[in-house]
Amino acid sequence: MSAEDTLLYLDGVSVSFDGFRALNSLSLIIEPGEMRAIIGPNGAGKTTMMDVITGKTRPDTGTILFEGGTDLTALREAGIANLGIGRKFQRPTVFEMHTVWDNLELALKAPRRPLKTLTYSATRDDRARIEEILDITGLSPKRDRQAGSLSHGEKQWLEIGMLLAQDPKLLLVDEPVAGMTDAETEQTARLLKDIAGKHSVIVVEHDMAFVRELGVKVTVLHEGSVLAEGSLDAVSANQQVVDVYLGR
Amino acid sequence: MLTRFLLMGLDKKAGVLLAVLAVLAVAVPVMALAAPPDSPWHLSTHTVALLGKYLCFALLAVALDLVWGYVGILSLGHAAFFALGGYAMGMYLMRQIGPRGVYGHPVLPDFMVFLNWQELPWYWHGFDQFWFAALMVVAVPGVLAFAFGWFAFRSRVTGVYLSIITQALTFALMLAFFRNDMGFGGNNGLTDFKTILGFDIQAPETRVGLFVATVVALAAGYTLASCVVASKLGKVLVAVRDAESRVRFLGYETERYKLFAWTLSACMAGVAGALYVPQVGIINPSEFSAASSIEAVIWVAVGGRGTLAGAVLGAVLVNFGKSYFTAALPELWLFALGGLFVLVTLFLPKGLLGLAAQVKGRWPSGRAMAAKPAGQKGI
Amino acid sequence: MHRVLSWLLAALIAVATPAFAADLDPLVRALGTGTYADTEKALAKLAETGDTAAVPVIEALQTGDLHVRKADGAVVVARKAGNGVALTDPLTGAALGEADRSAVEKIKINNSLRRSISAALGALTLMSPNPQTRRQAADAVFKSRDVNALEALDTALAKETDEGVRRAMFQARAAVVLNSSAPDADKIAAVETLKARGDRDALALLNAAANSGGAEVKAVAERAIASVEQRLALWGAAQNLWYGLSLGSVLLLAAIGLAVTFGVMGVINMAHGEMVMIGAYATFLVQEVFRTFAPGLFDLSILVALPVAFLASGAVGVAIERSVIRWLYGRPLETLLATWGLSLALQQAVRSIFGPTNREVGAPSWMSGAFELGGLTITYGRLWIVVFAFLVFAALLVALRKTAFGLNIRAVTQNRSMASAMGIRTARVDALTFGLGSGIAGLAGVALSQIDNVSPNLGQGYIIDSFMVVVFGGVGNLWGTLVGALALGSVNKFLEPYAGAVLGKILVLIFIILFIQRRPRGLFALKGRAVEA
């Protein structure tokens, strides 16, 4: 498959910190509209992979292309985000001093330059969109609350809501259900599946039950490169994967 | 659109403050010029200048609060922007002296004659025109802040490191302005001003005029800052303060936002300095000292960081205290100031206005204040 | 200086050998009679005695202080005192009372006499039994390049046994030869001698020779000039390096405590400079005690001041940590403000107690003076500070790496909760670590009291520099602090000759500001995910 038809194309990406190879010639392809789960033991390079895609970390070597042509390694975080790549962090990071509404308004797709934001005022469409997201995430009653006062789960949802407001082509979601109750986990899975229809999604997760619930193609990372790829059942049967997970 | 922009920024606190300023703008001229000198309501020119000085500091505090309170950049170099604005105004005032200097040279200021300089350095040209000087009051601090900020923010120097290099910048400028070769009067700075726009700078009427100009500048600066803070841009700034990298991943070039606020703040500080100089009658390199910058920070901290009204309040209160102490108990002033630094950071992290809001919050009718847990994320 | 010395020497010799003095007396008296020619004859006889007691007489003649007392024709030294003149005996230096100016008549000298005087002086002092006097005489000839001294030099050289003095005489001879109409071969030999001397004086002489001598001399001189200039440039660089090392060690001393509080603990202590100041005042107090109770042991006061200053600053540091800083961990900018407030209060406290003026801190004898090393002049005070700075650095390194306390510090700074879980009393470690950093600042104060004014503002001068050093070197890295201090010191000193001290400093500041843009974490920064958190 050629790079042109892909949404995200990683080839031979390596990163090392002080001699430690966090990514070791990692190659990965995401197709438009695809949802992909990434699993792997601690230190497999999952978060670092997110970092290099979103521009937080610059790879030492390798190619990262978006929509077949744009070289992501040449861009900084904001530029990459504006191409349409959204990211949700492992620990929920929302703007705690702002209200729920303001958090969504900041994330909402709109011109990002300072002078534009200085004179910005929400249009009817903007407000409608924010209302819609508030409904989807169930945060409508708390729209005027400061985000800092939300519960852990609500913050996760708000962050997913912010991703929706951003309307990215590709979403990177880092452990969205860590610390959630079973009911919340289920709801989150449903929400992500809804999103997957219109967007491509990469989910990094430890929780196998959650991954199974998503029912998508799985990539197993180990020591900074891809160990196996396929359905969850297929990779679960893979002897190498079993060895890695059982630490043999 | 402008009215909407203005309305957005003006909340209740702003209303109160602007009303107070309006009262001052009327009352002070009346009391200084119309009240007979023996009346208890009379204000001496000295008092008018003192009040004007406080308001200049208040404008500096608003400028500082814009970057520290809302963007989280603790600048230890704002005195430098203040002083640069002051020097630009001082240069205009020096050129106004003309042949009335001690040495009577038609063009050269006294200190240049004293140094045996034959002609005016190139950077002194144009300062005989008020409009040019006024432009430079804003442009010089603005350009310096822009250049400095462009480098610093782009390379992501943040937090304490940024504070330390702003201090280094101020220190370097102070050393530079102390040099006679720089052509800014060295150690003695610029002083012995005679007239401003043709008016005698010592005359009570001129003093009152300068005071009113300061009130107007403060009101304008405050309004501008309030509007910026209330806009979506202001929300981005606060978001940058609390979680900068998250803002980046939303697609905002945080560097540009910081640069905008930083440069705007420097320009405001420059205006404050320019109004300060004719009222105190001198500008010298000690204005660049680290101590002046940090003192400005404590005004903001006392009043309440992140509330523009608090910055104004803090600047006026602390400087009033300083005037009182340095006259009555000079030995104690540094103890008082030092103690203020410690007490405010330990016990009043939100300043006086924050305290007021908390006290109000205790009453059942008051609106609960959803405060961030103290000490959780730092500044 | 030279004259005072020879006066003293002469006085000593005069006392030791009264018999000679008696013999010289009529010769001295003869100086005051008759024409210039008569004086010259008397001078020659005086010189022939070879008695160095005559030196002050001849010197007085040279400077125009030798007079004849009109009343009795005695030759005296008369120097202006009040309205009249003070008289002294030219040989013994004994005071002979005061007199009206008209009571004495000056012994006048002309050019021919002046030359004879130099020659006589040269000859006499070059023969002095004291090697130091001979050496000074040779140096004087070197400077005057007086052709008349050549004969005396040759005589003296023939007798000279001291190697050092001999070399000085040879160099003096070479200088004279170049100034004379000696044949080219002699001049070329002289050029070689001066080339070996190789200092700035030699360079001046060589330049003169290159401009005046014959073609061959000129060529040789130019080669010698090139060689001397190169040598001088090298020594100049070495001197700059030494100054840089010296400044660097001062910076290191000031910054090393900060490297602990800021670098290891991450606490921004703006009162760090005041810790240095407290150390300096502790030194002052210790010295006062020594001056009062044991002036004889004054040389030891600095050694006693070291532990006192360490404990004083350390105790203040612990008090500050316990009372203020511990409430502000994790809020660096607020720590900065609070400690700035403390620094103001500390300055005012010291000002109230000790007064605003500078306090006198003396140098022990083993820290005064200087010595020469090739073309370098090194003062003992600076040398000790360099040595001391490195000792403190090494001691801190060992303390952090090899002791249990150091292990605790590293454990707490790297993972506070884990360390706490392991049973380390983190609060105690915090307080002691801060105390350690402050105590080291106190040690710096002892050293800085030797080279800086001990005033309440002492610390203010070092705080920005210290932060620059730590930030430049890389926070959390002691070696970075060392390299940072030495590098900034050297850069500063190498810039100074071109830019001047102030501009040099400004350039260094700008350099650091730009440097931090390139490498926000300093020279030796840790890289990786850990630091991002």
Side-chain angles (χ1 to χ4, degrees):
Chain A
M1 177 189 236
S2 71
E4 282 88 64
D5 307 327
T6 63
L7 183 68
L8 184 70
Y9 176 91
L10 273 75
D11 188 28
V13 176
S14 296
V15 179
S16 42
F17 301 116
D18 294 331
F20 165 68
R21 287 215 127 184
L23 289 185
N24 191 1
S25 192
L26 173 73
S27 300
L28 184 76
I29 287 171
I30 304 291
E31 286 170 52
E34 186 188 352
M35 182 171 193
R36 175 78 60 93
I38 309 270
I39 60 172
N42 275 332
K46 299 179 303 255
T47 303
T48 308
M49 182 197 79
M50 297 263 204
D51 286 349
V52 295
I53 295 171
T54 53
K56 189 177 177 196
T57 303
R58 217 160 276 265
D60 301 334
T61 56
T63 316
I64 306 176
L65 298 178
F66 187 62
E67 295 188 306
T70 316
D71 179 9
L72 295 186
T73 57
L75 295 171
R76 308 201 346 155
E77 293 98 318
I80 292 173
N82 284 332
L83 285 176
I85 296 182
R87 176 170 185 183
K88 204 203 86 56
F89 287 83
Q90 195 170 334
R91 252 184 45 204
T93 35
V94 294
F95 305 119
E96 310 219 331
M97 298 298 280
H98 284 311
T99 61
V100 170
W101 181 281
D102 282 347
N103 267 283
L104 291 174
E105 189 181 287
L106 283 175
L108 197 68
K109 201 170 188 175
R112 297 296 204 222
R113 289 177 165 263
L115 289 179
K116 296 278 185 196
T117 55
L118 185 64
T119 54
Y120 170 88
S121 72
T123 62
R124 188 186 306 244
D125 287 350
D126 291 347
R127 281 196 294 272
R129 177 73 185 138
I130 293 176
E131 291 284 359
E132 191 187 332
I133 293 168
L134 283 172
D135 282 342
I136 294 175
T137 54
L139 289 170
S140 205
K142 301 193 168 167
R143 64 176 69 193
D144 290 328
R145 287 272 294 275
Q146 267 192 326
S149 68
L150 298 179
S151 72
H152 177 80
E154 287 168 337
K155 282 182 190 171
Q156 296 275 30
W157 284 64
L158 174 57
E159 214 185 347
I160 293 172
M162 287 165 74
L163 277 184
L164 288 175
Q166 236 180 308
D167 191 24
K169 293 172 186 149
L170 173 66
L171 277 86
L172 305 176
V173 186
D174 200 350
E175 301 201 19
V177 296
M180 278 191 177
T181 63
D182 286 351
E184 283 174 334
T185 304
E186 210 173 298
Q187 240 177 327
T188 309
R190 219 171 33 240
L191 190 60
L192 282 179
K193 273 194 278 193
D194 281 353
I195 295 171
K198 282 176 273 175
H199 314 265
S200 299
V201 183
I202 299 179
V203 185
V204 165
E205 191 47 79
H206 270 309
D207 186 333
M208 285 303 160
F210 177 74
V211 174
R212 187 168 297 281
E213 193 140 359
L214 291 178
V216 296
K217 189 174 174 186
V218 172
T219 298
V220 185
L221 286 195
H222 177 57
E223 289 178 350
S225 43
V226 175
L227 186 69
E229 219 165 61
S231 72
L232 185 61
D233 292 330
V235 297
S236 306
N238 183 317
Q239 189 55 42
Q240 270 183 301
V241 174
V242 174
D243 287 350
V244 163
Y245 264 90
L246 296 182
R248 264 183 268 163
Chain B
M1 197 180 78
L2 188 67
T3 37
R4 203 199 61 229
F5 180 64
L6 281 174
L7 283 176
M8 202 163 60
L10 296 177
D11 57 359
K12 210 172 97 192
K13 261 183 257 163
V16 173
L17 187 92
L18 291 179
V20 170
L21 288 178
V23 169
L24 279 177
V26 176
V28 168
V30 170
M31 288 162 79
L33 299 177
D38 50 355
S39 147
W41 293 98
H42 176 73
L43 286 180
S44 67
T45 30
H46 174 74
T47 315
V48 174
L50 199 62
L51 289 174
K53 198 172 94 172
Y54 293 166
L55 296 189
C56 291
F57 287 150
L59 183 55
L60 173 61
V62 168
L64 187 61
D65 196 21
L66 187 63
V67 287
W68 185 37
Y70 293 91
V71 202
I73 303 169
L74 176 56
S75 165
L76 300 183
H78 257 54
F81 303 129
F82 182 83
L84 286 173
Y87 265 98
M89 177 55 87
M91 286 162 81
Y92 163 73
L93 296 171
M94 287 308 267
R95 295 292 306 271
Q96 285 286 293
I97 297 173
R100 286 169 293 179
V102 176
Y103 296 109
H105 194 283
V107 178
L108 291 192
D110 278 347
F111 73 87
M112 290 189 195
V113 181
F114 184 75
L115 290 174
N116 274 328
W117 289 20
Q118 296 308 317
E119 55 188 309
L120 210 59
W122 60 268
Y123 46 83
W124 273 76
H125 287 284
F127 278 94
D128 48 339
Q129 303 292 324
F130 184 78
W131 66 267
F132 182 80
L135 181 68
M136 288 299 131
V137 160
V138 182
V140 171
V143 168
L144 177 69
F146 186 86
F148 179 84
W150 196 77
F151 281 114
F153 301 144
R154 212 176 49 113
S155 30
R156 301 196 178 164
V157 183
T158 54
V160 180
Y161 293 89
L162 190 59
S163 300
I164 290 174
I165 63 168
T166 55
Q167 196 179 19
L169 174 77
T170 321
F171 189 57
L173 280 170
M174 179 172 80
L175 291 177
F177 274 76
F178 264 123
R179 302 179 71 227
N180 279 329
D181 306 357
M182 281 285 286
F184 295 108
N187 211 353
N188 300 322
L190 310 176
T191 186
D192 289 334
F193 309 131
K194 307 277 189 236
T195 51
I196 179 165
L197 289 168
F199 300 105
D200 177 6
I201 206 161
Q202 302 292 348
E205 292 79 8
T206 318
R207 291 299 175 126
V208 167
L210 285 168
F211 176 80
V212 173
T214 311
V215 171
V216 171
L218 177 58
Y222 184 89
T223 309
L224 178 63
S226 308
C227 294
V228 166
V229 166
S231 70
K232 186 178 174 189
L233 182 138
K235 288 175 189 165
V236 177
L237 292 179
V238 171
V240 167
R241 178 191 73 187
D242 293 342
E244 179 167 1
S245 74
R246 186 74 186 85
V247 184
R248 283 203 195 101
F249 290 119
L250 284 182
Y252 294 97
E253 300 258 11
T254 56
E255 294 81 14
R256 294 185 184 192
Y257 283 83
K258 287 161 120 178
L259 197 55
F260 175 86
W262 175 251
T263 308
L264 176 65
S265 169
C267 293
M268 282 169 66
V271 172
L275 288 162
Y276 172 82
V277 168
Q279 299 189 70
V280 297
I282 185 169
I283 175 84
N284 63 33
S286 65
E287 295 292 338
F288 285 102
S289 73
S292 354
S293 288
I294 300 186
E295 255 187 75
V297 173
I298 204 65
W299 307 335
V300 178
V302 166
R305 184 160 86 88
T307 56
L308 295 169
V312 173
L313 182 72
V316 173
L317 280 183
V318 175
N319 280 295
F320 177 76
K322 184 177 187 174
S323 303
Y324 172 78
F325 266 104
T326 44
L329 304 158
E331 283 265 300
L332 287 184
W333 165 241
L334 280 183
F335 286 124
L337 185 63
L340 198 60
F341 272 96
V342 176
L343 294 179
V344 167
T345 44
L346 283 185
F347 302 113
L348 273 184
K350 288 168 168 298
L352 289 175
L353 284 196
L355 184 74
Q358 256 166 354
V359 169
K360 225 166 89 186
R362 294 267 164 82
W363 304 113
S365 60
R367 210 173 113 221
M369 188 160 148
K372 204 165 94 170
Q376 186 207 17
K377 262 218 79 164
I379 306 178
Chain C
M1 188 66 203
H2 162 216
R3 268 211 9 207
V4 175
L5 259 178
S6 47
W7 262 94
L8 281 172
L9 276 169
L12 273 174
I13 294 163
V15 172
T17 54
F20 274 109
D23 292 339
L24 289 175
D25 223 25
L27 296 176
V28 171
R29 207 178 169 92
L31 285 172
T33 52
T35 60
Y36 288 129
D38 293 330
T39 309
E40 195 156 355
K41 250 178 256 163
L43 180 65
K45 278 188 186 147
L46 201 55
E48 266 167 31
T49 62
D51 185 345
T52 47
V55 168
V57 185
I58 302 172
E59 276 179 350
L61 180 65
Q62 189 178 32
T63 55
D65 289 331
L66 210 58
H67 291 69
V68 176
R69 186 153 62 190
K70 285 178 187 165
D72 57 359
V75 170
V76 294
V77 173
R79 290 203 172 87
K80 213 179 144 193
N83 287 326
V85 286
L87 304 184
T88 48
D89 187 293
L91 281 171
T92 62
L96 298 174
E98 293 195 6
D100 195 69
R101 206 170 297 173
S102 59
V104 291
E105 192 186 348
K106 186 171 166 178
I107 302 174
K108 294 198 184 72
I109 51 177
N110 61 7
N111 277 341
S112 139
L113 199 48
R114 207 166 271 131
R115 275 194 295 276
S116 307
I117 289 171
S118 319
L121 266 182
L124 276 178
T125 45
L126 283 169
M127 296 299 196
S128 161
N130 185 317
Q132 213 172 340
T133 313
R134 296 203 299 275
R135 178 162 194 153
Q136 279 167 354
D139 287 346
V141 174
F142 181 86
K143 286 211 174 68
S144 69
R145 294 183 283 152
D146 187 347
V147 181
N148 294 322
L150 196 56
E151 207 176 322
L153 260 179
D154 283 336
T155 322
L157 261 172
K159 287 189 198 159
E160 189 55 62
T161 51
D162 183 301
E163 196 51 46
V165 180
R166 223 181 135 75
R167 198 181 316 123
M169 285 180 174
F170 256 120
Q171 288 167 356
R173 191 176 184 283
V176 173
V177 166
L178 281 184
N179 193 31
S180 70
S181 49
D184 277 4
D186 286 1
K187 285 196 171 180
I188 288 169
V191 165
E192 292 302 328
T193 311
L194 288 176
K195 181 176 149 190
R197 179 180 164 117
D199 64 357
R200 226 157 261 293
D201 294 332
L203 193 63
L205 291 176
L206 288 172
N207 270 319
N211 291 331
S212 61
E216 205 176 336
V217 177
K218 197 172 165 156
V220 177
E222 269 162 6
R223 273 203 299 278
I225 288 170
S227 138
V228 171
E229 272 176 347
Q230 195 186 1
R231 199 180 126 99
L232 280 176
L234 271 177
W235 279 118
Q239 185 81 53
N240 272 337
L241 206 61
W242 165 249
Y243 286 146
L245 184 66
S246 170
L247 177 64
S249 63
V250 169
L251 290 175
L252 178 64
L253 272 174
I256 196 168
L258 204 65
V260 175
T261 52
F262 180 43
V264 177
M265 296 178 75
V267 170
I268 315 296
N269 182 18
M270 294 300 272
H272 178 77
E274 278 58 47
M275 301 295 133
V276 176
M277 173 195 73
I278 289 172
Y281 273 92
T283 315
F284 164 72
L285 281 181
V286 168
Q287 287 204 342
E288 284 298 288
V289 171
F290 268 84
R291 281 201 184 103
T292 317
F293 296 106
L297 299 174
F298 186 75
D299 277 357
L300 298 177
S301 62
I302 287 279
L303 298 181
V304 176
L306 286 175
V308 173
F310 182 85
L311 291 177
S313 297
V316 174
V318 169
I320 288 178
E321 199 278 341
R322 284 290 87 186
S323 60
V324 176
I325 290 172
R326 71 159 152 162
W327 308 108
L328 298 172
Y329 282 119
R331 292 195 281 166
L333 296 182
E334 302 198 348
T335 314
L336 187 158
L337 292 180
T339 50
W340 175 265
L342 288 171
S343 86
L344 292 182
L346 284 172
Q347 279 174 45
Q348 184 59 43
V350 168
R351 200 173 286 125
S352 300
I353 299 170
F354 294 97
T357 48
N358 294 345
R359 285 304 183 152
E360 169 74 25
V361 170
S365 60
W366 46 272
M367 279 183 82
S368 339
F371 67 95
E372 303 237 334
L373 184 76
L376 294 181
T377 310
I378 292 175
T379 55
Y380 282 107
R382 289 285 179 168
L383 180 67
W384 277 115
I385 287 177
V386 172
V387 171
F388 181 63
F390 280 94
L391 284 179
V392 171
F393 178 80
L396 179 64
L397 211 57
V398 170
L400 286 182
R401 296 254 169 104
K402 305 277 182 206
T403 65
F405 176 52
L407 187 65
N408 283 350
I409 292 179
R410 282 180 291 142
V412 171
T413 50
Q414 279 164 27
N415 191 336
R416 175 170 296 272
S417 47
M418 189 65 178
S420 180
M422 306 266 297
I424 297 175
R425 289 156 69 188
T426 54
R428 205 179 124 98
V429 171
D430 284 337
L432 289 180
T433 312
F434 198 79
L436 174 69
S438 304
I440 293 172
L443 291 180
V446 179
L448 296 182
S449 73
Q450 293 295 315
I451 54 169
D452 204 339
N453 297 327
V454 178
S455 78
N457 301 327
L458 172 75
Q460 290 284 294
Y462 291 99
I463 185 71
I464 292 183
D465 285 340
S466 310
F467 270 109
M468 291 297 127
V469 165
V470 176
V471 168
F472 176 68
V475 174
N477 188 321
L478 278 185
W479 289 103
T481 305
L482 176 71
V483 174
L486 297 183
L488 291 183
S490 309
V491 169
N492 222 326
K493 285 298 172 188
F494 273 94
L495 278 175
E496 257 178 35
Y498 308 102
V502 177
L503 201 57
K505 198 162 168 118
I506 295 173
L507 290 175
V508 168
L509 283 173
I510 293 174
F511 163 74
I512 295 175
I513 291 174
L514 293 177
F515 179 83
I516 293 178
Q517 322 282 342
R518 291 289 313 160
R519 303 198 57 165
R521 290 174 199 286
L523 212 50
F524 297 94
L526 299 168
K527 192 183 152 201
R529 290 208 299 187
V531 291
E532 298 275 332

